[in-house]
């Protein structure tokens, strides 16, 4: 059950990232498997080498050692291009000229999570429409999602179902600036690196359907999933890089790695009381069945 941690180097790691890193490490190591590290630095505007290096140092400080070489998505563009071409040849890719405002105007945000599902507007463009719009702006490129039900069983959140066309919509696989999009790159990397189990935040529960759909279309293997509850603040908001007090730079000044790991282990019901622990000590008692599908409140 080879696992991985796939952070985006867009800022300093915060407690939520540490939690995802620790849990994915625990899942892999408790099954005697490798744990790979992939830096998701596809977006040249938001990613930086400085943050990528810092993630590596922070993981070392926490005692979470990865296996093999670190994979950088920014160095794998030729591989994404190859699979992107295959989708194009299958006639599953079309240019989309919609702006965010266009999309908002045609679709109401989803009631539960404010998600907007693309209605497929540009799928209906004729070659003549496309040619004339191309002269005005660069399009993004979408993959046609099949109109079918997708299901998988998540180890923590149980049975997951979605209609790919209605709940996910045609997804962007290449942006207007030429960068390959997250969904395409993740699917290819997880498959080619032999990842068998993906452990990450529950905000990506729906992405799993999209990634499975891309993999199936390309004849690539799919993974098992364990999505994690999110760490939230007392207002119910997800912890993010904006919560300055919980980023590792600040936490390191006040706590040892053992204190941080012990706190996460306690908050996620792995240990019955809060006590400093190394990752290895948590591993000795880790049982994923103790995890609950319930967000975890952290007060700053
Ligand atoms: N790079 C993504 C993030 O940092 C995670 C993607 C994944 O685990 O599939 O949120």
């Amino acid at each position: 059950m080879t696992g991985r941690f796939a952070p985006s180097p867009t800022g300093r790691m915060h407690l939520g990232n540490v939690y995802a890193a620790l849990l994915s490490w625990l899942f892999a190591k408790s099954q005697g498997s490798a744990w790979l590290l992939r830096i998701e630095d596809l977006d040249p505007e938001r990613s930086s080498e400085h943050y990528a290096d810092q993630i590596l140092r922070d993981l070392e400080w926490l005692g979470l050692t990865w296996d093999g070489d670190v994979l950088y998505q920014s160095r794998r563009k030729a591989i994404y291009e190859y699979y992107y071409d295959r989708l194009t040849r299958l006639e599953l890719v079309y240019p989309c000229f919609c702006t965010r405002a266009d999309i908002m105007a045609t679709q109401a945000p989803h009631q539960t999570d404010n998600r907007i599902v693309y209605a497929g507007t540009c799928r209906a463009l004729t070659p003549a429409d496309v040619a004339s719009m191309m002269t005005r702006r660069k399009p993004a490129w979408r993959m046609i999602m099949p109109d079918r039900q997708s299901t998988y069983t998540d180890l923590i959140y149980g049975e997951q179902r979605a209609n790919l066309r209605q709940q996910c919509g045609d997804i962007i696989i290449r942006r207007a600036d030429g960068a390959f999009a997250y969904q395409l790159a993740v699917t290819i990397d997880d498959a080619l690196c032999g990842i068998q189990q993906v452990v990450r935040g529950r905000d990506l529960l729906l992405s799993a359907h999209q990634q499975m759909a891309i993999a199936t279309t390309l004849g690539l293997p799919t993974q098992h999933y364990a999505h994690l509850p999110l760490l939230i603040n007392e207002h119910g908001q997800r912890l993010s890089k904006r919560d300055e007090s919980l980023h590792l730079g600040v936490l390191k000044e006040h706590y040892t790695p053992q204190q941080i790991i012990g706190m996460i282990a306690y908050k996620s019901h792995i240990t019955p009381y809060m006590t400093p622990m190394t990752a290895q000590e948590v591993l000795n008692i880790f049982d994923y069945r103790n995890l609950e599908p319930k967000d975890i409140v952290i007060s700053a």
Side-chain angles (χ1 to χ4, degrees):
M1 279 291 166
T2 302
R4 47 71 157 184
F5 177 52
S8 308
T10 55
R12 189 74 193 254
M13 272 177 101
H14 61 78
L15 201 61
N17 304 125
V18 177
Y19 167 68
L22 175 65
L23 269 289
S24 62
W25 183 87
L26 289 168
F27 267 88
K29 294 295 154 187
S30 62
Q31 298 168 95
S33 304
W35 184 67
L36 309 186
L37 177 60
R38 177 169 77 230
I39 298 292
E40 302 212 318
D41 54 355
L42 266 187
D43 185 338
E45 275 159 41
R46 297 182 59 229
S47 310
S48 92
E49 236 174 84
H50 166 74
Y51 285 130
D53 291 346
Q54 213 156 35
I55 290 172
L56 269 52
R57 284 199 301 274
D58 285 340
L59 290 173
E60 280 164 354
W61 182 77
L62 289 160
L64 300 175
T65 357
W66 57 91
D67 297 289
D69 293 333
V70 181
L71 205 85
Y72 291 85
Q73 287 191 324
S74 57
R75 300 177 194 166
R76 292 169 63 78
K77 288 179 190 154
I79 299 173
Y80 308 138
E81 187 93 50
Y82 169 80
Y83 285 98
Y84 175 82
D85 282 350
R86 276 181 50 181
L87 291 174
T88 308
R89 267 180 280 141
L90 290 168
E91 298 190 351
L92 290 173
V93 183
Y94 65 88
C96 173
F97 300 88
C98 295
T99 60
R100 198 169 160 72
D102 293 336
I103 297 172
M104 302 286 270
T106 54
Q107 284 296 101
H110 203 267
Q111 296 120 327
T112 44
D113 57 7
N114 262 341
R115 180 168 41 86
I116 307 257
V117 178
Y118 183 62
T121 318
C122 287
R123 206 189 309 135
L125 294 177
T126 64
D129 294 333
V130 170
S132 100
M133 291 174 93
M134 284 280 193
T135 60
R136 273 174 276 149
R137 65 147 75 205
K138 277 193 170 168
W141 298 85
R142 289 187 186 266
M143 175 180 163
I144 299 178
M145 281 285 122
D147 190 7
R148 68 166 168 84
Q149 194 75 10
S150 161
T151 58
Y152 68 93
T153 305
D154 187 88
L155 223 44
I156 300 174
Y157 281 85
E159 176 102 339
Q160 301 296 310
R161 289 175 179 278
N163 177 288
L164 291 168
R165 176 81 49 95
Q166 284 149 30
Q167 284 161 274
C168 304
D170 296 345
I171 46 175
I172 293 189
I173 55 170
R174 191 168 202 169
R175 300 182 342 188
D177 63 3
F180 292 102
Y182 160 74
Q183 303 290 9
L184 181 70
V186 166
T187 306
I188 295 168
D189 288 340
D190 282 340
L192 298 190
C193 298
I195 303 299
Q196 291 161 301
Q197 188 172 55
V198 169
V199 180
R200 61 184 180 192
R202 70 155 175 83
D203 52 317
L204 295 169
L205 273 166
L206 201 67
S207 282
H209 292 291
Q210 302 169 40
Q211 290 159 17
M212 286 165 61
I214 299 173
T216 308
T217 309
L218 287 169
L220 295 171
T222 56
Q223 291 73 41
H224 295 281
Y225 289 100
H227 285 88
L228 302 167
L230 301 179
L231 301 194
I232 53 174
N233 62 24
E234 51 278 86
H235 308 296
Q237 294 157 328
R238 183 186 182 184
L239 297 189
S240 76
K241 288 175 179 145
R242 288 182 301 275
D243 295 292
E244 293 276 309
S245 62
L246 294 173
H247 86 51
L248 217 48
V250 175
L251 292 175
K252 263 181 159 176
E253 286 170 20
H254 302 281
Y255 304 101
T256 63
Q258 292 78 6
Q259 284 173 316
I260 295 174
I261 289 173
M263 192 272 282
I264 293 175
Y266 168 69
K267 288 276 188 181
S268 44
H269 310 286
I270 300 170
T271 50
Y273 44 83
M274 183 136 58
T275 181
M277 290 175 97
T278 62
Q280 190 59 47
E281 284 162 349
V282 179
L283 178 61
N284 296 338
I285 51 164
F286 177 68
D287 182 347
Y288 80 85
R289 285 167 299 191
N290 291 337
L291 302 176
E292 289 174 17
K294 189 167 177 281
D295 289 346
I296 298 168
V297 181
I298 302 282
S299 341

